[in-house]
Amino acid sequence: MAVLLPASFAAWLIMQAAGGGSGEGKAAPTLLPPPGSSEEDSQASDGRPSGDGGEATRPPGPERKPLAGRTVVIDPGHNPRNRDHAAEINRTVGIGTSRKACDTTGTATESGYAEAEFTLDLARRVRNGLERQGATVKLTHDGGRAWGPCVDARAKAGNEAGADAAVSLHADGAPARERGFHVILPESVDEGAADTRAIAGPSRVLGRELVAAFRESTDERPARYIGDGKGLDTRGDLGGLNLSRVPKVFLECGNMRNAEDAKRLTDSEWRDRAARGVAEGVAEFLEGRPKS
């Protein structure tokens, strides 16, 4: 201490002579490191790593956007307000091979949690995940419609967007003893306005990627009560698939009538994992295909 006092006093005199004593309008210079500091702290604060003269830390590069330039259409199945518009949703529309109702109300859990509420919530989460990867994401509806859209309009949305992939989100209303998720693929059809010959193959690839990613993210098992028992089912009677001209599948995320599945479907944290699985499955599919 006896050695430091004269040096500190001399430094103080220099400061006073320079007009820095009052501190008004500018900060006084630091003469010594603040208590508890070290040379290592000083190096870290100015962007250089501690240690023996390492290189300055480079700022992080631009975030990778693997899906930049890709368009994905997400179709939240049904509509929470369909139940109030029976006349509108019961009118029939062409699905290529036949005619079917414009839309339905969907199913619900025993506690009353509607499939339409689930699919809309999940669609928004999926959109967020895909947009973070750079994709342009369009929903067939985002809760602002009074009812619908009809199944033919849902297919048209993907076609008009020139989507690289489209996924329709649903939850099943199977017998309560059954559980599990599955993906519905378009059958190869060529009848009337329905022509899925060009998309049946790519849609199957999309479906397989979704099954793998959804299972890994949610730890859910594929349904054994429908399809091939490995999570895939093929149908030619769904307008949303029959009228699509872009690779498209339906994802039935679980059985709302089963108590175990319902517990998951109604859980917000589980829906986060489900959305991650959908986004990852779509991303895997798109990264394996050339851009159109």
Side-chain angles (χ1 to χ4, degrees):
M1 180 67 72
V3 175
L4 293 175
L5 282 174
S8 299
F9 184 69
W12 180 81
L13 288 175
I14 293 170
M15 289 171 59
Q16 293 296 105
S22 70
E24 186 176 24
K26 57 183 175 182
T30 302
L31 302 178
L32 296 172
S37 69
S38 65
E39 182 179 1
E40 179 176 308
D41 294 331
S42 299
Q43 287 190 351
S45 68
D46 66 7
R48 294 190 297 273
S50 61
D52 297 329
E55 293 182 358
T57 302
R58 293 188 178 91
E63 185 180 358
R64 181 171 177 262
K65 300 286 189 180
L67 300 185
R70 303 288 197 163
T71 299
V72 180
V73 169
I74 301 297
D75 175 30
H78 313 290
N79 184 317
R81 302 183 206 174
N82 275 357
R83 61 180 179 270
D84 301 322
H85 296 272
E88 289 88 348
I89 67 170
N90 285 329
R91 67 180 180 84
T92 63
V93 296
I95 65 166
T97 56
S98 61
R99 295 186 67 84
K100 293 185 74 170
C102 158
D103 202 4
T104 69
T105 60
T107 187
T109 66
E110 289 292 338
S111 64
Y113 182 53
E115 177 187 2
E117 295 285 358
F118 165 78
T119 61
L120 187 56
D121 178 81
L122 182 61
R124 291 166 175 164
R125 296 174 193 242
V126 172
R127 175 176 60 190
N128 291 342
L130 289 170
E131 286 181 342
R132 281 194 294 269
Q133 298 184 67
T136 297
V137 182
K138 300 182 179 182
L139 303 188
T140 57
H141 73 98
D142 197 7
R145 294 179 57 99
W147 53 273
C150 296
V151 295
D152 57 341
R154 292 172 187 266
K156 187 178 180 181
N159 299 341
E160 291 185 342
D164 296 287
V167 179
S168 188
L169 301 173
H170 290 265
D172 210 359
R177 66 179 180 277
E178 307 291 359
R179 59 171 303 206
F181 76 93
H182 65 281
V183 173
I184 303 175
L185 311 174
E187 184 178 298
S188 181
V189 297
D190 178 21
E191 183 179 342
D195 186 357
T196 61
R197 292 172 295 176
I199 68 161
S203 296
R204 177 168 289 273
V205 177
L206 171 60
R208 287 172 176 165
E209 294 289 4
L210 273 177
V211 167
F214 193 84
R215 184 173 191 176
E216 181 176 355
S217 185
T218 63
D219 199 30
E220 290 295 304
R221 72 184 191 193
R224 297 174 183 170
Y225 66 90
I226 195 167
D228 63 1
K230 298 178 181 179
L232 295 175
D233 184 33
T234 302
R235 293 176 60 173
D237 64 333
L238 297 175
L241 297 179
N242 281 2
L243 300 176
S244 181
R245 298 294 181 264
V246 302
K248 184 176 181 180
V249 299
F250 279 37
L251 171 62
E252 298 278 1
C253 298
N255 179 16
M256 298 199 100
R257 312 305 293 175
N258 176 273
E260 287 299 313
D261 277 3
K263 183 178 179 180
R264 291 165 172 78
L265 295 167
T266 54
D267 180 71
S268 179
E269 190 277 333
W270 185 91
R271 292 197 297 276
D272 271 340
R273 291 190 284 128
R276 184 166 60 249
V278 175
E280 289 177 355
V282 171
E284 286 293 328
F285 169 73
L286 293 179
E287 289 186 4
R289 289 175 60 81
K291 291 184 179 180
S292 56

